[in-house]
Structures are given as structure tokens and as C-alpha cells.
Amino acid sequence: ETDDAPRLQRAVDASANKVLFVPAGDYKLAQTLVITNFCSVLMHKCARFQAAKPMDFVVRVNFSPVFKARDILDFGTFFKGGRIDGCGIASCMSIHGYIHFTLRDVCFHNGKLYGLRVKGDPGPGGAELNAFNLHFVNKEKGNAGNAAVRVSGCDDNFTDCWSMDYTIGFDIEGGANFFTRCHVWGGVIGAPAPGEMPEYLKDSIGFKIRKNSGNVLLRDCYADTSTIGFLSEGWEVRILGCTYLYNMGCIKNVKPEKLDKMYVFKQPSGSMLVAGSH
């Protein structure tokens, strides 16, 4: 074995409905670590999973296959701590077919397409993700168009999450998804050419709420330096106590014509309430 994926997979497979502790250290993965057996993962804060070759995701959580056996559902499953690094060649984590799953204190680095992909299941799963203190940081060039978080489940809650230098901070669809004190900002990675927009600010969106979304709440969220702060096409969208800032220091050498069509709020369709925002 030339990477850590096989032994990590064996440890997960042997830990159904148990808690697997991952000690501090760097772990190279040349294939996706797949969790389907309600194994919870507790990573040391200095443990890091790194993509060693291109793949869809470094970690994939998928409980869909076991949902029909309702007597074995585990409503306390979690993934906590550590760092997942896509190294610009893989997305970091996918969660699918979940019910009441907790994700907290995790750093997601350099996701190629996504830092975190939360996909609702059309069957009996895909609800009640509770996400706390997540940090999404991208320092790799060449992946413009990616998203820190892409969520299409329902009844999901994100609290105290940060995104830095992904083209889209939070890409939202589904019903009754709530976001509290989530902060999106960009402009750290420079422009591809003098006078151009920084790579991850071009066509950037802080919070994107898609058409097939309803009852979405953003409370005390912060869109800091993006072409569009809040793009809403959903119904019954509430944006309360939120803030938008464009840091001119990030774009001081950009040609003026590159700054056209910038919006704090953009609402092509749907219904939206904005209150107490700045």
C-alpha cells in the first residue's frame, strides 16, 4: 500500500455504529474514503486528509443504502474535527442520505468543485444536517467557479461558518435551510493578469439561493467582497440582519469597466424579505 486510504477504509468498515478516532498527522488518500455504516469520525484537530490524486471527493458519507431498514437508523452520527484538503484536484466532502447528522469543527481546504456537497436524497433521507464552526479556505489557483458549500437537502442548519476565496460561498436549494452568522469573503488570490479581477472574485456570489428553494433564512450573515452579495430566486426567503461589504483594497488595480453589474441584492424571481441589513 502506497497511501493511507486502504487502512483508513478498513478502520471505518470495522467501526459500524461506533466512533473512529483519527490521531494527529497527515494522511494521503489516493481513493475516496467512503462511510456507509453509521461510523462516526472524531479527528484530532491536527489530523489532515489530503487528496493524493484526482478524485470526486476525499470523503463521501452516504447512508442511503441502509435507510429502508428503519430499525438500524442512527440519529447521533457525526464527523468532527480535523482538516480535509482537496489540494485543488478533488472536492473535499460529500454527505448524502443523512438524517440528523452533525458536522462540526472541520476545515475544508482547496476543494476543486466543492468544499462541502450536501445532497438531499429523494427517498427517506436528506434532512437535518447540523453544521457548526466550519472553515472553508481555498488557496489553489485554477478552480474558479467552485463553491464552498452546495446544499440541496432540507431542514439543514449552518451556524458560524466561514468561506474564503471560493467563487460561490453558499449555494442553496431545498426547503427550510437556515444559515446563521455565516461569513463569505474573497480576493486573496490575485488576478490572472494586470488590471483583471482577482480569479475568485470574477462572477462571485456570496449567497446564492436557487429557484427551487423555499423558506430559506439568512440571519446575521456577511457577504464580504463578491460581485453579487445575495442572489435570491427562491420563495419565502428572509434575509435578516445581514451585511454586505466590498473591500476596495482587493480591487485597487482593476480596470473600472471590470466592475460593472455588481449587486448587493439581486432578485430575478421569487419572494424575498430583507430587514435590518446593512
Side-chain angles (χ1 to χ4, degrees), residues 42-88:
L42 177 60
M43 295 181 69
H44 188 283
K45 69 182 182 69
C46 294
R48 177 169 58 174
F49 292 164
Q50 291 179 287
K53 62 183 294 185
M55 63 185 87
D56 288 341
F57 291 93
V58 179
V59 178
R60 186 186 295 274
V61 178
N62 186 0
F63 299 142
S64 298
V66 295
F67 269 127
K68 291 183 179 180
R70 306 292 292 186
D71 57 326
I72 64 168
L73 283 181
D74 184 344
F75 293 99
T77 310
F78 62 81
F79 193 109
K80 299 179 182 179
R83 289 173 280 177
I84 302 175
D85 192 342
C87 299

Side-chain angles (χ1 to χ4, degrees), residues 19-247:
V19 178
L20 175 66
F21 176 68
V22 181
D26 289 336
Y27 300 85
K28 304 286 188 179
L29 282 75
Q31 62 189 39
T32 301
L33 180 65
V34 180
I35 304 172
T36 60
N37 60 356
F38 295 111
C39 169
S40 291
V41 177
L42 177 60
M43 295 181 69
H44 188 283
K45 69 182 182 69
C46 294
R48 177 169 58 174
F49 292 164
Q50 291 179 287
K53 62 183 294 185
M55 63 185 87
D56 288 341
F57 291 93
V58 179
V59 178
R60 186 186 295 274
V61 178
N62 186 0
F63 299 142
S64 298
V66 295
F67 269 127
K68 291 183 179 180
R70 306 292 292 186
D71 57 326
I72 64 168
L73 283 181
D74 184 344
F75 293 99
T77 310
F78 62 81
F79 193 109
K80 299 179 182 179
R83 289 173 280 177
I84 302 175
D85 192 342
C87 299
I89 58 175
S91 296
C92 298
M93 181 182 234
S94 168
I95 302 175
H96 185 74
Y98 56 96
I99 290 183
H100 204 75
F101 183 86
T102 298
L103 180 66
R104 71 177 307 148
D105 305 331
V106 185
C107 294
F108 299 87
H109 296 278
N110 308 310
K112 181 177 178 61
L113 294 178
Y114 307 107
L116 174 65
R117 178 70 172 101
V118 181
K119 190 176 188 326
D121 191 313
E128 298 180 17
L129 173 71
N130 293 300
F132 307 92
N133 190 31
L134 306 182
H135 200 199
F136 301 87
V137 180
N138 178 47
K139 295 184 179 180
E140 295 283 347
K141 296 182 178 180
N143 289 323
N146 57 7
V149 176
R150 171 81 166 90
V151 54
S152 53
C154 64
D155 301 339
D156 297 330
N157 297 288
F158 286 79
T159 304
D160 295 329
C161 299
W162 290 261
S163 165
M164 184 187 79
D165 255 6
Y166 283 81
T167 297
I168 301 174
F170 290 83
D171 189 346
I172 304 160
E173 67 178 335
N177 293 315
F178 294 177
F179 301 81
T180 304
R181 295 190 303 273
C182 293
H183 183 178
V184 177
W185 63 288
V188 176
I189 295 177
E196 297 292 317
M197 287 282 283
E199 181 177 357
Y200 291 96
L201 289 188
K202 184 179 180 181
D203 302 321
S204 60
I205 304 170
F207 296 85
K208 179 179 179 179
I209 303 168
R210 294 180 177 239
K211 286 185 177 180
N212 54 339
S213 301
N215 189 18
V216 176
L217 173 64
L218 274 58
R219 186 181 293 277
D220 301 330
C221 292
Y222 187 12
D224 180 347
T225 314
S226 56
T227 303
I228 301 174
F230 302 88
L231 172 62
S232 178
E233 297 183 273
W235 49 272
E236 294 181 2
V237 174
R238 290 164 292 161
I239 299 176
L240 308 178
C242 293
T243 300
Y244 175 87
L245 169 72
Y246 210 106
N247 183 350

